[in-house]
Amino acid sequence: MDAIVTKNDLKSDAKKESIDLLNARLADAIDLALITKQAHWNVKGPQFIAIHEMLDTFREEIDGHVDIIAERAAQLGGTAHGTSQEVAKATKLKPYPTDIHKTNDHLAALIDRYAAAAKLTRAAIDEAADAGDADTADIFTAYSRSLDKLLWFLEAHTQEKE
């Protein structure tokens, strides 16, 4: 990795670990943002407008975290890898089906991917902390809280008590 020289006093090995970790989770976050729009555009059913509008707010929230994650990589002297080509190569999320339309099918697919992204992000909190980068761990903590909230919103649409 050819890092950009910075006066950030984090140790160089911690910077490298964090930059790699940030880029890994950046790929997942960008993929999740795109997945969210895929569902937003294509969901059909009696709850259409509620789900459609909810997913717009999800995308906005995720985009905020994408920006913070990418900027942290740059702050540490790295390069944020946010192109579609890099994201396609690096994401750990399962491909999103493009042949679904029913609300419940989209909810199930989104729940799986939001849960996976949250799990990867929680692991990243510990990895960043172990590398000695509390600030990156804090960024991942905020993102994790957000993902858990969004996952809850998605699951609430499928969890009726009888």
Side-chain angles (χ1 to χ4, degrees), residues 57-80:
T57 67
F58 282 24
R59 174 63 188 259
E60 289 174 20
E61 190 162 335
I62 293 167
D63 283 348
H65 291 286
V66 163
D67 202 42
I68 291 168
I69 292 166
E71 288 175 353
R72 179 65 179 165
Q75 291 163 17
L76 296 177
T79 299

Side-chain angles (χ1 to χ4, degrees), residues 3 5 13-14 18 30 46 51 70-71 73 75-77 79 88 114 125 129 131-133 138 140 151 157 159:
V5 177
D13 56 336
S18 288
I30 292 171
I51 301 294
E71 288 175 353
Q75 291 163 17
L76 296 177
T79 299
Y114 273 75
I125 295 167
D133 186 354
D138 185 55
F140 288 135
L151 177 61
H157 283 278
Q159 299 171 328

Side-chain angles (χ1 to χ4, degrees), residues 40-131:
H40 164 86
W41 294 321
N42 293 293
V43 68
K44 306 282 187 241
Q47 296 175 313
F48 166 76
I49 198 64
I51 301 294
H52 180 80
E53 290 178 353
M54 179 182 74
L55 293 177
D56 255 347
T57 67
F58 282 24
R59 174 63 188 259
E60 289 174 20
E61 190 162 335
I62 293 167
D63 283 348
H65 291 286
V66 163
D67 202 42
I68 291 168
I69 292 166
E71 288 175 353
R72 179 65 179 165
Q75 291 163 17
L76 296 177
T79 299
H81 297 286
T83 66
S84 59
Q85 296 83 7
E86 291 290 332
V87 170
K89 282 192 299 188
T91 186
K92 299 295 182 206
L93 302 182
K94 290 189 305 190
Y96 196 81
T98 57
D99 61 347
I100 60 174
H101 298 283
K102 292 180 183 175
T103 300
N104 286 339
D105 293 341
H106 278 290
L107 288 172
L110 289 166
I111 287 166
D112 285 348
R113 284 147 187 89
Y114 273 75
K119 182 177 182 178
L120 290 162
T121 302
R122 273 190 288 285
I125 295 167
D126 294 335
E127 292 175 56
D130 290 347

